[in-house]
Amino acid sequence: MRSPRIQFEHPTQLATTTFLRAVANDDPPAIWECLSRETRGLLEGLYAARAALALHRAAGVAAPDDGRLAEVVSPLRESIVGALGGAERLGGFGVSGARIVDRATAYVLLLPDFGEERIVTEVDWKPSHLLAFVHESREWLVDLGRTAELSVEAELPDPLGAIRR
């Protein structure tokens, strides 16, 4: 994997903690708000397949009051909770400085067993996963495809990839 530029204060760090907190708290509207358009579309397509609906009937999920929302995000949430060791562990991950891949893509590394120490050097930790973001609509949003792609390059397991139908 090529060496991306590191930025220690980047919006993806707060976005990561917001997203993991929403997953831990099982908050579908908050999870949805953290997702890229492409990821939302993939989840709507998966929902359509599971519910045996025409795609146009499953598309257009709107947070926070859409009754379909919990069912649409549940496979993603289950995948993340399973990959990261349970909902109770999600708040315990440290988050690295952002790695800037290009103008529209960045990722952070999730650091397990971070402990009480808040500042550590890279030689003192080994990341367990990464979470990739795309910049769209002036926000950094979690992206399923980029997370999978960059996880493979970094030889890390994909925290979003075990989604089951």
Side-chain angles (χ1 to χ4, degrees), residues 6 19-20 27 30 47 61 71 74 76 91 94 101 109 113 135-136 139 141 150 157 159 161 164:
I6 298 174
F19 179 64
L20 292 178
D27 185 349
Y47 167 71
V61 172
E71 195 171 344
S74 68
L76 177 64
V101 177
L109 299 167
D113 304 319
H135 194 253
E136 60 185 43
E139 294 183 279
L141 302 168
L150 292 170
R164 302 278 185 241

Side-chain angles (χ1 to χ4, degrees), residues 77-90 93 112 128-129 159:
R77 182 184 182 276
E78 290 169 11
S79 175
I80 295 166
V81 169
L84 299 182
E88 64 284 345
R89 289 200 61 218
L90 294 179
F93 281 89
S128 63
H129 297 84

Side-chain angles (χ1 to χ4, degrees), residues 36-87:
S36 70
R37 286 188 301 264
E38 180 177 326
T39 299
R40 290 177 184 185
L42 290 169
L43 292 175
E44 288 171 337
L46 181 61
Y47 167 71
R50 282 191 340 262
L53 294 171
L55 188 54
H56 71 277
R57 296 222 185 268
V61 172
D65 55 359
D66 193 312
R68 305 170 293 174
L69 192 57
E71 195 171 344
V72 170
V73 300
S74 68
L76 177 64
R77 182 184 182 276
E78 290 169 11
S79 175
I80 295 166
V81 169
L84 299 182

